[in-house]
Amino acid sequence: MSAVSCSTASSSGGCGLRSQLKTCALPAFTSLNFGRTGPNSQSDRLSIHRLELVHGNRKARGTTICMTLVDERQSTGQKVVDPPRILAYDLVQGALVKWTWKEDKSVPDTPAAVLLHGILGSGKNWVSTFARRLAHEFPNWQFLLVDLRCHGDSASLKKRGPNSVATTASDVLKLVGQLRLTPRVLVGHSFGGKVVLSMVEQAAKPLPRPVRAWVLDATPGKVRAGGDGEDHPRELISFLSTLPKVVSSKPEVLNALIKEGFSNEVSQWVVTNLRPTGPSCSSFSWTFDLDGISQLYQSYEETNLWNFVENLPRGVHVNFLKAERSLHRWALEDLQRIHAAEELASEEGGGVEMHVLEDAGHWVHTDNPDGLFRILSSSFQVLRAWRCKRSTFCLFPV
């Protein structure tokens, strides 16, 4: 795999995170991020093999963003109107993926996987190394990394309905439909795991092809987060709500979190959600909507999807992964119900399976990335290309 070579220039004095412009050499795999477009923005577009793509989903402040696709059949001046933004996202593609419009139904759809973060996270939790590693090892796949509602760059997007697991799942379903992707693997960590289950539940019909869902360190029902001396998400959210919305420095927040008793690991992670409020970097604000996140976490605790897990539609295979050192308390009842559901697995690709990731706490993709990669790889090795015809029901309509 050749390294991605990127030069970065910022329009905000070097402090703007999402307003940075990237010009990249041709990599062995491609990360399709949005860029800035303007009257003289030709050199700012992201060059990717045969095409240039300027993606308008992570919109920088004060800029005009549109989607531009260029290949041998299109002129460099052709522009496609950016559709209404549903969620902010990144799309990481393997080297063998060819970006094509889906009007030609005779062409097999490129297999895609959706990776969802947990509470107080963002899509970048996956994109730094793990998604790129998947794209390198499985070059015919593409990986959609989403900022869920109230999180990251999606926090500024107005959403209808209550902030819940179900509405969050609906957002992602709408996004993959808009992008005309064909997800065959869904991976969700913690809160994102329940969102994955809700996504499949909302399209619960017998499926014409297998869909593999991965629920990482979460159960379908009651949330047993944290124990004595461990970080509890609800307590963390409550404490963050007492802090000013604008702070003078990241170390100030880091020290306050540690003083309150939260672990250094979690405290370091939380402050990654702070971004400069201006070019001088003299103050920082949160990237998330904390009120909305509080509502999401309450829904996460209250949502019970056991009935769905124990009555899966044909073609769905749900994999639960328990971290060996997880701060989440997996009750004996949870493990017994999952193992009972395993016995109902059919030869048609439907069923439930339990996995244990050794030497890992709740942050599975950072604690033991090699072990997680080996476990998840089975989904990309087993599933083969397929076509979703107009006359056949699809989990994610194209």
Side-chain angles (χ1 to χ4, degrees), residues 285-299:
S285 63
W286 297 108
T287 60
F288 46 62
D289 171 4
L290 197 58
D291 290 338
I293 285 177
S294 179
Q295 296 164 14
L296 289 174
Y297 188 76
Q298 181 177 346
S299 173

Side-chain angles (χ1 to χ4, degrees), residues 3-46:
V4 179
S5 174
C6 296
S7 60
T8 303
S10 175
S11 62
S12 58
C15 301
L17 300 183
R18 293 297 186 186
S19 60
Q20 292 176 332
L21 310 181
K22 294 187 177 181
T23 305
C24 298
L26 300 181
F29 55 83
T30 59
S31 178
L32 304 188
N33 299 302
F34 80 98
R36 183 189 302 275
T37 54
N40 301 304
S41 60
Q42 181 69 27
S43 62
D44 292 331
R45 292 176 182 166
L46 183 61

Side-chain angles (χ1 to χ4, degrees), residues 299-378:
S299 173
Y300 173 55
E301 289 187 321
E302 296 173 351
T303 299
N304 190 322
L305 294 167
W306 271 115
N307 184 62
F308 172 68
V309 170
E310 293 170 338
N311 297 276
L312 290 176
R314 177 178 57 83
V316 178
H317 193 109
V318 176
N319 297 268
F320 290 94
L321 183 141
K322 178 188 179 299
E324 185 180 40
R325 297 185 282 102
S326 173
L327 62 84
H328 286 65
R329 295 302 187 228
W330 287 69
L332 179 59
E333 176 190 355
D334 295 328
L335 298 175
Q336 289 174 337
R337 292 183 75 169
I338 290 175
H339 287 307
E342 278 187 287
E343 298 178 1
L344 301 177
S346 69
E347 297 180 356
E348 299 178 357
V352 177
E353 190 171 354
M354 184 73 189
H355 308 262
V356 176
L357 181 61
E358 297 179 352
D359 194 26
H362 184 58
W363 311 105
V364 291
H365 47 297
T366 57
D367 288 350
N368 187 358
D370 291 339
L372 180 62
F373 181 84
R374 285 193 297 270
I375 292 174
L376 291 181
S377 292
S378 61

Side-chain angles (χ1 to χ4, degrees), residues 83-219:
R85 294 185 301 145
I86 299 173
L87 293 170
Y89 65 88
D90 290 296
L91 186 64
V92 178
Q93 296 182 313
L96 301 182
V97 174
K98 296 181 180 180
W99 181 275
T100 59
W101 299 110
K102 300 298 169 62
E103 283 83 357
D104 185 359
K105 298 299 181 179
S106 65
V107 179
D109 294 317
T110 301
V114 178
L115 279 65
L116 304 181
H117 61 80
I119 285 290
L120 294 172
S122 70
K124 67 183 180 182
N125 296 155
W126 291 104
V127 74
S128 58
T129 56
F130 199 84
R132 297 179 187 277
R133 180 177 179 182
L134 286 170
H136 173 66
E137 293 295 327
F138 305 102
N140 62 321
W141 281 74
Q142 53 189 353
F143 302 87
L144 181 67
L145 318 174
V146 180
D147 284 359
L148 299 174
R149 64 163 56 202
C150 303
H151 291 80
D153 287 331
S154 293
S156 61
L157 302 178
K158 299 299 182 182
K159 291 296 174 190
R160 295 182 179 179
N163 291 313
S164 66
V165 169
T167 56
T168 304
S170 178
D171 292 342
V172 183
L173 287 170
K174 291 175 183 177
L175 177 63
V176 297
Q178 182 185 75
L179 297 178
R180 296 181 179 178
L181 299 179
T182 56
R184 291 157 51 201
V185 174
L186 308 173
V187 182
H189 175 239
S190 194
F191 170 81
K194 270 194 179 177
V195 173
V196 161
L197 290 177
S198 183
M199 287 174 66
V200 185
E201 182 190 38
Q202 291 182 39
K205 296 181 181 179
L207 304 180
R209 45 77 180 176
V211 171
R212 288 185 173 258
W214 286 86
V215 181
L216 307 183
D217 214 35
T219 68

